[in-house]
Amino acid sequence: MSRLSVVVLLCLFSLSARAEVQLLTSIKPLQLIAAAVQEGVGTPAVLLPPGASPHRFALRPSDVRQVQSVTLLYWIGPDMESFLPRVLQSRSLPSVALQDLPGLQLRHFSKPENDEHGHDEHAHDEHDHDHRPGTLDAHLWLLPHNAKVIAAKMAADLAQADPANAARYQSNLAAFEARLDALDQRLHARLGKVVGKPYFVFHEAYDYFEAAYGLKHAGVFSVAAEVQPGARHVAAMRERLQAAGPSCVFSEPPLRPRLAETLSAGLPVKLAEMDALGASAQSYEQLLEGLASELAGCLESL
């Protein structure tokens, strides 16, 4: 082979390598879905670092540059990442607010009981302060059906941006859907055994997952991060735990609220964690399996 031919081949290889679609997601669960679709072709990036809350995040200058430069960008929408809309106004490349996709099964936060005219003292431990009643529950990735809809959108977009690998994206999508169907059956079998057992959460993030498997938390112990709950409020929450009997209280990593220890002291309550963002998950399936294991693991021991 001539030296010129070698140089041409190297240039073509270099161009092919640079042509990989740069895909960025706002949060890790979306990155995990994208990774299933891009498997063997590319590696998606994620904007938020582990442990960061999509409800409260400040973009660095390097984050802004990344948002502006990637080929495809996927985020949940303004009901989740309120820090993104202003930055996206100056982005010229495609960005997809997934909460607007057709075919999704969406939920909205319910109004607390006895809360027709504002809210009373008891209602404080009925609702998450991060989420207003009536607004969209943006934790939509926790429903397997929605993950399939999101993956299908990503596969279609990637195929358009990278036609040479369109068949691979569709093949990856079909494999992902098949894995989710098998996982769904396993989760139904395990979680069906703990339906009806009482548990409480600190963040109202799990309704999609609960709805998929017939579960429902007994209450939400949420307080604004900058506000210390008063003695009356803490006493009311402890009364609910006492009335529930043996139960589990789930917080989110990386930090367990000090309030969890205060509420559970002297009661037949087990403290555990559930991670809706899947910080340690290596795949979307692992994210759901992790939630199921954390939830069932505690409730099975009651």
Side-chain angles (χ1 to χ4, degrees):
M1 184 179 293
S2 69
R3 180 176 298 179
L4 178 60
S5 298
V6 171
V7 171
V8 170
L9 287 174
L10 288 174
C11 289
L12 289 174
F13 178 81
S14 177
L15 286 171
S16 176
R18 289 200 300 269
E20 177 184 313
V21 176
Q22 294 179 304
L23 188 154
L24 176 67
T25 69
S26 57
I27 56 176
K28 184 171 181 179
L30 301 182
Q31 182 195 30
L32 295 175
I33 296 173
V37 178
Q38 280 194 292
E39 184 178 0
V41 182
T43 303
V46 63
L47 189 59
L48 268 68
S53 170
H55 299 296
R56 293 174 289 274
F57 184 72
L59 291 170
R60 300 166 300 180
S62 59
D63 296 326
V64 174
R65 289 193 294 272
Q66 185 181 27
V67 165
Q68 299 295 352
S69 65
V70 295
T71 312
L72 296 171
L73 184 146
Y74 297 90
W75 59 308
I76 297 296
D79 289 273
M80 175 64 71
E81 307 96 334
S82 58
F83 59 88
L84 266 180
R86 183 175 60 84
V87 178
L88 292 178
Q89 287 178 358
S90 56
R91 176 176 159 82
S92 58
L93 295 165
S95 58
V96 181
L98 295 169
Q99 68 182 48
D100 297 327
L101 287 183
L104 291 176
Q105 295 178 12
L106 298 178
R107 301 177 62 87
H108 292 77
F109 293 107
S110 60
K111 181 180 291 187
E113 294 180 7
N114 306 318
D115 192 30
E116 294 182 1
H117 307 286
H119 54 253
D120 59 19
E121 178 70 20
H122 179 70
H124 278 281
D125 59 0
E126 292 286 354
H127 197 76
D128 192 330
H129 286 248
D130 276 334
H131 311 299
R132 299 185 307 277
T135 60
L136 175 70
D137 181 350
H139 306 86
L140 52 87
W141 66 87
L142 291 178
L143 185 68
H145 167 83
N146 288 346
K148 291 181 181 181
V149 174
I150 292 168
K153 171 61 175 173
M154 290 177 172
D157 291 347
L158 285 164
Q160 184 173 6
D162 179 20
N165 288 301
R168 181 62 182 267
Y169 297 132
Q170 288 302 316
S171 175
N172 286 345
L173 173 63
F176 179 63
E177 292 174 338
R179 293 197 302 272
L180 284 191
D181 289 340
L183 174 62
D184 187 57
Q185 292 183 5
R186 296 198 301 273
L187 296 189
H188 271 291
R190 183 173 187 187
L191 293 172
K193 300 174 183 177
V194 297
V195 170
K197 290 193 175 185
Y199 65 96
F200 298 80
V201 297
F202 271 89
H203 181 201
E204 199 168 10
Y206 311 101
D207 286 17
Y208 285 96
F209 186 77
E210 293 170 337
Y213 299 106
L215 301 165
K216 179 61 182 174
H217 55 266
V220 184
F221 294 150
S222 175
V223 291
E226 69 278 6
V227 176
Q228 287 292 335
R232 184 179 175 185
H233 183 38
V234 172
M237 288 191 283
R238 272 186 61 85
E239 286 179 9
R240 297 196 67 197
L241 279 175
Q242 286 177 317
S247 60
C248 293
V249 173
F250 292 96
S251 58
E252 288 183 300
L255 298 176
R256 174 178 292 170
R258 285 182 296 175
L259 181 59
E261 308 287 347
T262 302
L263 290 174
S264 61
L267 297 178
V269 171
K270 296 191 175 185
L271 302 180
E273 290 183 340
M274 285 198 295
D275 184 8
L277 290 172
S280 61
Q282 298 301 307
S283 67
Y284 177 78
E285 300 94 289
Q286 282 189 13
L287 188 159
L288 293 190
E289 286 182 306
L291 279 181
S293 294
E294 292 155 358
L295 187 56
C298 186
L299 294 178
E300 288 167 350
S301 67
L302 296 179

